[in-house]
């Protein structure tokens, strides 16, 4: 158990809908990272937050957004969903190092299926 | 999205054999990371490399940061059944801002026959 909690574990929704994925980082970790894993694109870094502020952006679509709250949990919002958004979405957290992915621990992921 | 070239794509070996996989990029990285992912789980960091030429071990695992900073390899010695999984390399371009993003390799599926 990495200590990173993601909910829900599975999500099935229809095209055009909006969903919110939630991540609780390990206790004390200030950085949260979001990743997408799909069969055709592999693992892709989406976005990083550090202590409530956006720190780095990867291949995140404009239909997607994220935020980190004062209690350090994070949410990834996916809107106007398309079939191609079906994927595993991972959250990871790391301690105080705002600039590195090293020592980041991954959650078990949320499997999103868009039908 | 961008992915690093990782080879081989898959390996089927006997228990006790050594394994080698590598990752190449057209970009220079400041950090190389190696992860293992088990089915239904998130990736777990195995080794992190921070300097060109660096050779780092973690038990039976050894990884090196290429001198050109455009490649890295991972060796697993004396493989055991629990080594089964997908191994990913990842490179980080820099520190801070837009360069603070991780680019992953395409993955190597390792199967170990007892």
């Amino acid at each position: 158990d990495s200590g990173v909690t993601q909910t829900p574990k599975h999500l099935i929704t229809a095209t055009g809908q909006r969903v919110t994925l939630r991540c609780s980082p390990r206790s004390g970790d200030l950085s949260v990272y979001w990743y997408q894993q799909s069969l055709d694109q592999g693992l892709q870094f989406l976005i990083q937050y550090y202590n409530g502020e956006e720190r780095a952006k990867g291949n995140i679509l404009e239909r997607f957004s994220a935020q980190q709250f004062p209690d350090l949990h994070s949410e990834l919002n996916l809107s106007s969903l398309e079939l191609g958004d079906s994927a595993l979405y991972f959250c990871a957290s790391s301690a105080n190092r705002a600039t590195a992915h090293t020592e980041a621990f991954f959650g078990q992921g949320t499997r999103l299926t868009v039908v | 999205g961008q992915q690093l070239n990782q080879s081989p794509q898959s390996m089927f070996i006997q228990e006790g054999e050594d394994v080698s996989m590598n990752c190449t990029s057209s970009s220079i990285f400041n950090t190389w990371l190696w992860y293992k992912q088990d089915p239904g789980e998130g990736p777990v960091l195995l080794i992190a490399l921070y300097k060109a030429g660096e050779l780092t071990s973690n038990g039976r695992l050894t990884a090196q940061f290429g001198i050109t900073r455009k490649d890295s390899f991972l060796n697993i010695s004396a493989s055991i059944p629990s080594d089964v999984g997908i191994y990913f390399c990842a490179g980080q371009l820099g520190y801070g801002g837009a360069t603070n993003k991780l680019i992953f390799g395409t993955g190597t599926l390792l199967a170990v026959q007892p």
Side-chain angles (χ1 to χ4, degrees), chain A residues 11-42:
Chain A
L11 197 49
I12 301 176
T13 189
T15 54
Q17 295 298 305
R18 172 191 167 93
V19 297
T20 297
L21 312 183
R22 183 188 168 100
C23 170
S24 293
R26 294 186 317 155
S27 177
D29 282 0
L30 298 177
S31 271
V32 169
Y33 310 81
W34 286 97
Y35 303 85
Q36 179 195 59
Q37 186 174 34
S38 63
L39 281 174
D40 55 343
Q41 296 285 323

Side-chain angles (χ1 to χ4, degrees), chain B residues 2-22:
Chain B
Q2 186 181 357
Q3 287 184 278
L4 305 178
N5 296 318
Q6 189 171 342
S7 64
Q9 200 169 12
S10 59
M11 301 182 76
F12 299 88
I13 63 170
Q14 297 283 334
E15 182 177 0
E17 288 185 25
D18 296 344
V19 169
S20 186
M21 59 190 79
N22 68 75

Side-chain angles (χ1 to χ4, degrees), chain A residues 76-98:
Chain A
L76 179 67
N77 300 299
L78 315 177
S79 61
S80 303
L81 285 167
E82 303 174 359
L83 295 178
D85 297 327
S86 296
L88 260 173
Y89 291 85
F90 288 107
C91 165
S93 74
S94 65
N96 296 324
R97 300 180 67 179

Side-chain angles (χ1 to χ4, degrees), chain A:
Chain A
D1 182 5
S2 67
V4 178
T5 304
Q6 288 188 249
T7 57
K9 282 195 171 10
H10 302 275
L11 197 49
I12 301 176
T13 189
T15 54
Q17 295 298 305
R18 172 191 167 93
V19 297
T20 297
L21 312 183
R22 183 188 168 100
C23 170
S24 293
R26 294 186 317 155
S27 177
D29 282 0
L30 298 177
S31 271
V32 169
Y33 310 81
W34 286 97
Y35 303 85
Q36 179 195 59
Q37 186 174 34
S38 63
L39 281 174
D40 55 343
Q41 296 285 323
L43 261 168
Q44 300 286 327
F45 163 66
L46 296 179
I47 197 163
Q48 178 203 357
Y49 276 81
Y50 176 73
N51 204 19
E53 293 189 3
E54 183 184 304
R55 187 76 188 193
K57 239 177 182 176
N59 302 316
I60 189 165
L61 299 172
E62 285 194 11
R63 299 183 286 109
F64 297 179
S65 65
Q67 54 183 330
Q68 186 178 26
F69 294 87
D71 67 353
L72 301 178
H73 90 270
S74 178
E75 292 181 355
L76 179 67
N77 300 299
L78 315 177
S79 61
S80 303
L81 285 167
E82 303 174 359
L83 295 178
D85 297 327
S86 296
L88 260 173
Y89 291 85
F90 288 107
C91 165
S93 74
S94 65
N96 296 324
R97 300 180 67 179
T99 57
H101 294 255
T102 52
E103 299 170 12
F105 292 83
F106 282 72
Q108 290 191 308
T110 293
R111 181 172 293 282
L112 172 67
T113 303
V114 182
V115 297

